[in-house]
Amino acid sequence: MSSNIIAVTCVLLLLAGCQDEAVTSTIHKPDNSTDKVLRSERDAMLNTLIQQHGLTGDVLQGRILPAIESPLAQLGMQLFFSKALSGNRNVACASCHHPLLGGGDSLSLSIGVDAADPNVLGHKRLLQGKLRPSVPRNAPTTFNIGLWRQFMFHDGRIAQLEVGITTPDVAYLQPDPLAGGNLVHAQARFPVTSNHEMRGELFDAGGTSQSCRERLAERLGAYGVSGEARLPAAETDYWLDAFRQAYQQPHAPATELITEQTIAAALGEYQRSQVFVNNPWKHYVQGDVAAISEPAKRGALLFFREREAGGYACASCHKGDFFTDEQFRNVLMPQIGPGKGSNTVTAVQQDYGRWLVTQHPDDKFRFRTPSLLNVAMTGPWGHNGAYTSLEAMVRHMLNPFQAALHYDSGQLKQPNIPTEQVAVNLREMLSGNADMAGQAYQEEDVQYLVDFLHTLTDPCVTSADCLQRWIPSGGNSPESVLQARF
Ligand code: HEC
Ligand code: HEC
């Protein structure tokens, strides 16, 4: 290409980038309909980026996920909301992953077995006394959980292998024979074994993760367990009936039907039914130019454009229709809370992230790139909830180094979160391999990006009415159902 052509192209690009007023042009809708639509220049530029990034708006891409009405998802819903799956019958999965809280808990750091009032959820959920949080990470949303192809958890410690799934119960990269048929089933077997999340200190004390799961199944099935661990007969009758219906085995005995595997499978199907992908951005990608606002379109341009083209290249990690490349990166997230650990005695309240799984030096401080679908509803943000506004989170992603250096722990709404080590830990993170440098950014771009991120919210997740199908109605629920108050 001659230098002349390059110069002309650049001028055109510059003009396009500066264009504020809508210039109209006509292009075909992707659905091949013959009617032409008028689009602004901005829409045309976005359309090009959408093609370049291979976006279709159809994140499911033929994947079959269960309907919430399916018998197994219905059983899973009752289990997900049941406190009977925790050692002291005081925590349910829904205590930390409630549909009305964006599939999370609205806390920076989750509160499990030590809650002051087990039925209180959301901002008002507190630890007993002056306890400091013991769960080191933020609860990710369970919404769209069935769309992950490779990893569960912030550090990916459950992973899809070519054959099978690896979990913390086996050596990394070895298949776990008990992992079940998909990542979500595999994951559902772990929260019940965590002392801080659900198990408590006393249930099946001295037992293994597997024996803990089996004791819980025995409790639900009223076989094996004795004493305080037992459930009232009315409840165990309920479960036997519910499992028989869901698995369509009307005469099977509890010993065969209510096992740690059938429990995890049902929990998995319920969560996999939480598909919330019907957002304005999808409609925009599929041709409805009026689906999102002009400021959001500006944000989209900034999100998808490369740096050289005046954007922030967010999509280099938040890729595709699911907005994640499922890779691990060190983006210098301020390390608040107790931390999950490190290999040094000097580093406290630290979290080595992916390194804890692989022990690979490059993986220190790396965490899985989150999906951004429904991100406006899933705060606080970051693997430890360090940011309590989407705006602050976006500022961090624009310039991680500056944001981390000036991190304001005053934004935390939850009491007693340790933050003493943030500066020390940042120094350690910087000595490693930060995967993102700081970059200068335009002040007004922050709000454009936030506006764009809001277009990724499926209206259903903002509507209690719409979400009602994913919440047990009460009437036909067992006694142990979580009586949530917000
Ligand atoms: C005390 C709060 C708490 C409870 C109770 C709890 N979770 Fe979680 N959950 C978390 C936290 C925190 C994480 C992130 C842990 C990590 O990545 O290291 C998580 C991670 C997950 C993930 C992985 C999400 C992802 O994007 O990879 C799923 C799925 C999940 N939990 C489902 C469940 C199920 C099913 C139950 C009940 C059996 C449950 N959780 C109980 C707090 C909780
Ligand atoms: C180098 C890869 C990379 C790039 C580029 C990137 N991100 Fe991220 N993003 C991540 C990772 C990794 C996390 C999670 C970090 C953690 O929790 O420690 C994250 C977290 C987020 C979150 C919080 C999500 C949640 O659920 O907690 C938002 C919002 C976000 N990024 C938006 C953006 C925006 C906007 C841009 C562009 C300005 C961007 N990101 C650029 C990798 C990236």
Side-chain angles (χ1 to χ4, degrees), residues 66 146 152 158 160 165 179-188 264-265 268-269 272:
M152 290 281 99
I158 291 180
Q160 184 73 53
I165 291 172
N182 62 62
L183 289 170
V184 190
H185 172 140
Q187 196 284 337
E269 291 305 279
R272 278 155 33 92

Side-chain angles (χ1 to χ4, degrees), residues 204-219:
D204 190 37
T208 62
S209 291
Q210 186 58 13
S211 69
C212 171
R213 295 176 189 118
E214 287 167 0
R215 292 298 87 75
L216 288 168
E218 290 167 7
R219 167 195 275 179

Side-chain angles (χ1 to χ4, degrees), residues 314 316-318 331 333 367 370 372 381-383 393 397-398 436:
C314 309
S316 61
C317 300
H318 297 285
V331 299
M333 194 57 55
F367 294 89
L372 298 178
W381 294 270
H383 70 265
M393 182 66 226
M397 297 309 309
L398 284 165
M436 255 183 112

Side-chain angles (χ1 to χ4, degrees), residues 386-402:
Y387 289 105
T388 59
S389 78
L390 191 53
E391 184 199 324
M393 182 66 226
V394 167
R395 283 182 191 280
H396 180 98
M397 297 309 309
L398 284 165
N399 195 334
F401 175 67
Q402 285 300 325

Side-chain angles (χ1 to χ4, degrees), residues 268-308:
E269 291 305 279
Y270 164 67
Q271 294 176 88
R272 278 155 33 92
S273 80
Q274 295 184 335
V275 181
F276 300 110
V277 298
N278 211 358
N279 56 52
W281 171 249
K282 167 202 163 104
H283 297 306
Y284 181 80
V285 171
Q286 297 189 335
D288 177 1
V289 286
I292 70 174
S293 70
E294 290 305 312
K297 290 177 192 173
R298 286 171 173 247
L301 284 172
L302 297 167
F303 190 93
F304 289 103
R305 276 182 170 154
E306 297 300 322
R307 299 237 164 74
E308 309 80 68

Side-chain angles (χ1 to χ4, degrees), residues 64-380:
I64 313 273
L65 291 168
I68 180 60
E69 291 77 17
S70 73
L72 219 46
Q74 287 290 311
L75 172 64
M77 176 166 76
Q78 299 296 347
L79 291 165
F80 195 83
F81 280 79
S82 170
K83 293 185 281 191
L85 285 181
S86 64
N88 290 327
R89 287 192 263 160
N90 53 2
V91 191
C93 305
S95 306
C96 302
H97 301 283
H98 200 288
L100 294 178
L101 299 173
D105 54 12
S106 297
L107 294 169
S108 288
L109 298 170
S110 293
I111 295 175
V113 296
D114 303 321
D117 181 337
N119 288 323
V120 172
L121 266 54
H123 305 293
K124 296 192 191 134
R125 187 170 177 85
L126 294 172
L127 284 158
Q128 291 159 18
K130 295 240 176 300
L131 286 180
R132 292 183 131 196
S134 52
V135 177
R137 292 183 181 161
N138 176 267
T141 182
T142 53
F143 291 172
N144 299 327
I145 196 74
L147 297 179
W148 292 96
R149 290 177 186 276
Q150 298 180 61
F151 299 104
M152 290 281 99
F153 289 122
H154 293 295
D155 54 18
R157 60 190 183 276
I158 291 180
Q160 184 73 53
L161 308 172
E162 237 160 72
V163 180
I165 291 172
T166 190
T167 76
D169 277 0
V170 294
Y172 188 61
L173 295 182
Q174 293 302 309
D176 179 347
L178 297 176
N182 62 62
L183 289 170
V184 190
H185 172 140
Q187 196 284 337
R189 300 172 61 247
F190 286 86
V192 298
T193 69
S194 153
N195 287 9
H196 299 307
E197 289 189 3
M198 296 182 82
R199 183 179 188 165
E201 303 293 336
L202 298 174
F203 186 79
D204 190 37
T208 62
S209 291
Q210 186 58 13
S211 69
C212 171
R213 295 176 189 118
E214 287 167 0
R215 292 298 87 75
L216 288 168
E218 290 167 7
R219 167 195 275 179
L220 254 56
Y223 59 96
V225 292
S226 58
E228 283 186 11
R230 288 184 81 98
L231 294 180
E235 173 142 4
T236 52
D237 288 349
Y238 169 89
W239 288 120
L240 183 57
D241 201 39
F243 274 77
R244 282 177 168 166
Q245 277 185 32
Y247 284 99
Q248 291 164 22
Q249 296 186 43
H251 306 294
T255 45
E256 279 172 27
L257 204 50
I258 306 184
T259 67
E260 66 95 0
Q261 283 293 322
T262 55
I263 291 172
L267 284 169
E269 291 305 279
Y270 164 67
Q271 294 176 88
R272 278 155 33 92
S273 80
Q274 295 184 335
V275 181
F276 300 110
V277 298
N278 211 358
N279 56 52
W281 171 249
K282 167 202 163 104
H283 297 306
Y284 181 80
V285 171
Q286 297 189 335
D288 177 1
V289 286
I292 70 174
S293 70
E294 290 305 312
K297 290 177 192 173
R298 286 171 173 247
L301 284 172
L302 297 167
F303 190 93
F304 289 103
R305 276 182 170 154
E306 297 300 322
R307 299 237 164 74
E308 309 80 68
Y312 298 112
C314 309
S316 61
C317 300
H318 297 285
K319 264 201 176 75
D321 291 301
F322 194 35
F323 289 88
T324 172
D325 56 3
E326 294 199 45
Q327 296 301 303
F328 300 86
R329 298 268 171 32
N330 172 5
V331 299
L332 302 176
M333 194 57 55
Q335 188 48 50
I336 61 162
K340 179 119 182 148
S342 68
N343 67 337
T344 63
V345 279
T346 46
V348 288
Q349 297 172 13
Q350 184 59 294
D351 191 333
Y352 275 22
R354 182 72 178 149
W355 180 90
L356 295 169
V357 181
T358 66
Q359 257 88 64
H360 193 293
D362 289 348
D363 284 337
K364 272 188 196 167
F365 313 113
R366 283 186 167 156
F367 294 89
R368 189 188 61 181
T369 305
S371 163
L372 298 178
L373 296 185
N374 301 307
V375 69
M377 302 298 291
T378 61

